[in-house]
């Protein structure tokens, strides 16, 4: 549904300042609305931001002082130059208004919403919810990056990438709009540039951020009907009891002083828990754990919730406590968020979230109060890493609580890339049936993983893989493909659901067991090079598997996937490194080497580098130099040698980790 203004009729050959401004507004309306939509606070719902963005742009025309409707003057010379200047003035007014939205004027009572958020302004929509059309994974990543920066930084980013303004022009416009630190806003825009890459303009102009081409859905019809009935009942009750309330208020005894709702120091009570409404996830720019509603049949069980909060705040000696590495152990804040409370496989389970950590309290139904507490980091969880939590783990496998935006849930065997995915049963409260979680050597024979698909209301055709590694949050599996012949490399890891991704992960499935219980958030398999093996040994692929943790550091394993009899045969590990930036966007250059034996019994040293490698050198007992990204040279198995690579910028690069020789 396109949303565009209707221009006024202007007499040809004669124009006013206001007419020129209106013509510029109509011409740039979509870009101005996009600018306002992205600059407005991300705390607003998408529906509200769309309406406010249109309102700010439509009210950005200058007043009668700048151009009187009745004062008709000939069109000035240099009309094109004046048109550009008028567009810049409109951008400045839109940015100023968007930055001022939600800011209270001087003298306004503290704690009271500012007038802009209370008084309705045109356009007004009743009975419908508006939201932009869903984009892809990269658009969601950019949306989250935008939400994490300042409003002025978002405005600078849009002005630079969509409107094409130079940094000096952006700085002047922001300063004229009242931004106190335009240089800081440009620095924030630079960080967004690093996140979005060269496709920043294409992403910003996609339908995910187009507030002029929107979708509509009705509001909650049942809730609307209840509200109307409640309003009539309230008005009737108010008319009958008004006088009685006045008399009662006069006769009432002095009120008692307010007391803290918590009985212990820093201990929240069930009434303090935050409960997110069930429809927030479909109309928010934060698609993460904060959008999860409170679910479960025991979400109103005060005794259970009180035991869970007490166990978190003051764990006793009898309580079994498990922590993901790097998880803070401080008590809960005043108002944690309730995610789930219910009975699962003979246990009562409560899931809580405080913005940094997910906490699971569980106790046997037969022995209330004798339970276990598990804490795991979940800061910066997103549409994938915040899509599921392990609500219970038993002999039959793990049960997951799925995010409200998950539309489909399947399971597939990572060790069998050709096997199809199978549906997973999900209860009405979002809890799945048990999904097997083999450990030890059995995990090399079969590796069941979740394959989830997001609702089209937030992102279209987005499926992704999660696997259980023994913690509350399952691990997100991604894939970065080979750059190909002449095609640009992937800007960021992709979802591991395609054929090449599943084939790569089939060879890496056994390696996942080494990461169990280490606080891993996501693992990316990056195919950084391919090579034809000597003596017609076949086609091999070099892969860097990077495990990123919730606490920040990441470990890498470099493997060589040579031809094998089985599609799930474990790949050969050729190098490892701990707490490194290698194979991330901050370590995009890599080279690796290994001794390899041909069928004839001859030994070779193989080496390969990533896209920017232009030459590989071998020194020591064997010397060789090969231009390009791969090298293969005869070398005894026990030969001592050193491999290095040269990048296209002239710098030297050493192999990652400990070479397997």
């Amino acid at each position: 549904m396109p949303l565009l203004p209707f221009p006024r009729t202007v007499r040809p050959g004669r124009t006013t300042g206001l007419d020129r401004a209106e013509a510029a507004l109509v011409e740039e309306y979509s870009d101005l609305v996009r600018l306002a939509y992205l600059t407005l606070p991300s705390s607003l719902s998408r529906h509200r931001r769309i309406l406010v963005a249109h309102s700010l742009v439509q009210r950005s025309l200058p007043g009668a002082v700048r151009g009187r409707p009745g004062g008709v003057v000939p069109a000035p010379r240099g009309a094109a130059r004046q048109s550009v200047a008028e567009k810049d003035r409109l951008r400045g007014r839109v940015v100023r208004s968007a930055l001022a939205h939600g800011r209270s004027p001087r003298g306004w009572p503290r704690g009271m919403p500012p007038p802009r958020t209370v008084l309705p302004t045109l356009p007004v929509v009743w009975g419908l919810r508006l939201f932009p059309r869903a984009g892809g994974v990269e658009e969601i990543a950019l949306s989250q990056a935008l939400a994490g920066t300042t409003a002025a930084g978002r405005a600078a980013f849009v002005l630079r990438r969509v409107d094409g303004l130079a940094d000096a022009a952006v700085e002047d416009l922001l300063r004229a709009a009242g931004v106190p630190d335009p240089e800081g806003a440009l620095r924030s825009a630079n960080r967004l540039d690093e996140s979005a890459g060269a496709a920043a303009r294409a992403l910003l102009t996609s339908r995910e951020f187009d507030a002029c081409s929107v979708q509509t859905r009705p509001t909650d019809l049942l809730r609307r009907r209840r509200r109307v009935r409640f309003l009539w009942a309230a008005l009737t009750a108010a008319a009958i009891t008004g006088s009685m309330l006045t008399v009662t208020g006069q006769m009432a005894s002095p009120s008692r002083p307010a007391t803290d709702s918590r009985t212990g120091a820093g201990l929240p009570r069930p009434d303090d828990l935050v409960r997110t409404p069930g429809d927030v996830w479909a109309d928010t720019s934060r698609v993460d754990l904060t959008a999860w509603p409170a679910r479960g049949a025991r979400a109103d069980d005060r005794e259970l919730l009180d035991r869970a909060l007490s166990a978190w705040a003051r764990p006793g000696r009898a309580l079994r406590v498990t922590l993901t590495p790097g998880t803070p152990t401080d008590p809960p804040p005043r108002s944690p968020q309730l995610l789930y409370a219910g009975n699962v496989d003979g246990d009562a389970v409560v899931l809580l979230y405080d913005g940094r950590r997910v906490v699971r309290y569980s106790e046997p139904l037969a022995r209330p109060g004798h339970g276990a507490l598990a804490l795991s980091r979940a800061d910066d969880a997103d549409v994938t890493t915040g899509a599921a939590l392990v609500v219970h783990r038993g002999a039959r496998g793990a049960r997951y609580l799925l995010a409200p935006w998950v539309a489909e849930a399947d399971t597939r065997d990572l060790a069998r890339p050709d096997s199809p995915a199978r549906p997973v049963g999900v209860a009405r409260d979002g809890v799945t049936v048990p999904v097997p979680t083999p450990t030890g050597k059995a995990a090399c024979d079969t590796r069941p993983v979740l394959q989830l698909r997001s609702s089209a209301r937030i992102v279209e055709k987005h499926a992704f893989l999660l696997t259980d590694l023994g913690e509350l949050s399952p691990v997100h599996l991604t894939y970065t493909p080979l750059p190909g012949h002449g095609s640009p490399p992937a800007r960021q890891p992709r979802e591991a659901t395609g054929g090449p991704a599943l084939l790569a992960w089939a060879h890496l499935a056994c390696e996942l067991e080494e990461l169990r219980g280490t606080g891993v958030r996501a693992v990316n398999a990056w195919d950084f090079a391919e090579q034809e093996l000597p003596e017609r040994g076949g086609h091999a692929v070099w892969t860097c598997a990077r495990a990123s943790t919730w606490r920040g550091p990441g470990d890498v394993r470099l493997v060589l996937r040579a031809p094998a009899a089985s599609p799930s045969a474990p790949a050969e590990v050729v190098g490892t490194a701990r707490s490194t930036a290698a194979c991330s966007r901050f370590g995009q250059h890599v080279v690796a080497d290994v001794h390899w034996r041909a069928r004839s019994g001859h030994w070779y040293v193989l080496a390969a580098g990533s896209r920017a490698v232009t030459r590989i050198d071998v020194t020591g007992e064997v010397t060789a130099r090969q231009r390009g990204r791969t090298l293969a040279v005869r070398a005894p198995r026990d030969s001592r040698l050193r491999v290095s690579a040269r990048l296209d910028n002239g710098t030297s690069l050493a192999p990652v980790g400990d070479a397997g020789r």
Side-chain angles (χ1 to χ4, degrees), residues 168-317:
V170 173
E171 186 175 338
D172 292 342
L173 190 149
L174 293 178
R175 185 174 288 106
V179 176
D181 183 17
E183 295 85 357
L186 284 173
R187 288 193 295 271
S188 298
N190 289 335
R191 289 191 291 271
L192 290 172
D193 274 331
E194 295 175 359
S195 175
R201 176 176 172 79
L203 293 176
L204 285 173
T205 56
S206 66
R207 56 187 182 179
E208 174 80 14
F209 306 110
D210 186 359
C212 286
S213 180
V214 300
Q215 296 184 96
T216 62
R217 277 191 173 87
T219 55
D220 192 327
L221 301 179
L222 294 178
R223 182 184 298 177
R224 191 194 312 174
R225 182 183 300 177
R226 288 195 297 266
R227 285 177 176 174
V228 172
R229 292 176 178 174
F230 176 78
L231 177 61
W232 282 109
L235 291 175
T236 303
I240 295 175
T241 62
S243 59
M244 296 178 62
L245 291 175
T246 303
V247 174
T248 303
Q250 294 174 352
M251 297 175 60
S253 58
S255 59
R256 294 175 295 175
T259 59
D260 195 336
S261 63
R262 297 178 288 180
T263 58
L267 176 61
R269 299 296 302 274
D271 291 339
D272 299 320
L273 292 174
V274 175
R275 298 168 183 261
T276 302
D279 56 351
V280 166
W281 66 270
D283 192 20
T284 179
S285 59
R286 290 192 58 181
V287 187
D288 55 20
L289 290 170
T290 61
W292 280 41
R295 290 174 287 178
R298 302 184 67 176
D300 296 321
D301 189 332
R302 295 177 55 85
E303 293 184 0
L304 174 61
L305 298 178
D306 194 51
R307 289 196 298 272
L309 292 169
S310 299
W312 185 3
R314 294 192 295 267
R317 292 185 177 180

Side-chain angles (χ1 to χ4, degrees), residues 274 276 286 288-291 312 327-328 330-339 351-359 376-382 389 521 550:
V274 175
T276 302
R286 290 192 58 181
D288 55 20
L289 290 170
T290 61
W312 185 3
T327 304
D330 50 296
R334 181 181 180 90
S335 301
Q337 180 183 348
L338 176 63
L339 303 179
L351 286 175
L352 302 168
Y353 175 60
D354 70 349
R356 298 178 301 159
R357 302 164 294 177
V358 172
V359 176
S376 177
R377 286 187 60 167
D379 40 332
D380 296 326
D382 55 22
L389 294 172
R521 170 178 179 166
W550 289 99

